[in-house]
């Protein structure tokens, strides 16, 4: 088993919450992903925040290309942790 994590960057909280639900439905993710607000450097306004969905994948079931395409559906992207 690997200790893989995936980080999806989303434009807003609604998108992040939708992604969490869709991860369960589409990919059968059982472990609760971590949703984190990531304020951009030097910005105090909530409008200038991105939302991260951190997903554990110890079994290595989820592919990078598959998650890249998935994140783009919500105008987001996948970051390397």
């Amino acid at each position: 088993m690997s200790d893989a994590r995936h980080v999806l960057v989303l434009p807003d909280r609604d998108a992040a919450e939708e992604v969490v639900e869709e991860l369960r439905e589409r990919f059968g993710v059982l472990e609760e992903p971590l949703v984190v607000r990531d304020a951009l450097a030097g910005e105090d306004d909530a409008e200038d925040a991105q939302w991260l969905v951190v997903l554990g994948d110890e079994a290595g079931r989820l592919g990078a290309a598959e998650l890249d395409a998935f994140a783009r559906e919500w105008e987001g992207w996948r970051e390397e942790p």
Side-chain angles (χ1 to χ4, degrees):
M1 284 198 311
S2 68
D3 187 25
R5 287 186 310 148
H6 302 283
V7 178
L8 305 180
V9 182
L10 290 304
D12 56 50
R13 184 179 187 147
D14 290 339
E17 290 174 352
E18 288 177 31
V19 161
V20 168
E21 288 302 315
E22 190 66 22
L23 283 167
R24 290 185 190 118
E25 292 176 22
R26 191 182 303 186
F27 299 106
V29 171
L30 300 176
E31 183 179 325
E32 183 72 21
L34 178 63
V35 178
V36 180
R37 179 181 179 270
D38 183 33
L40 300 176
E43 298 295 335
D44 295 327
D45 189 356
E47 293 292 321
D48 294 323
Q50 297 172 327
W51 288 81
L52 309 179
V53 175
V54 182
L55 174 65
D57 184 26
E58 287 81 27
R61 296 183 320 115
L62 303 172
E66 187 176 29
L67 289 173
D68 286 337
F70 176 72
R72 281 192 301 271
E73 293 177 29
W74 282 271
E75 299 180 13
W77 64 90
R78 184 186 59 85
E79 286 281 326
E80 294 291 333

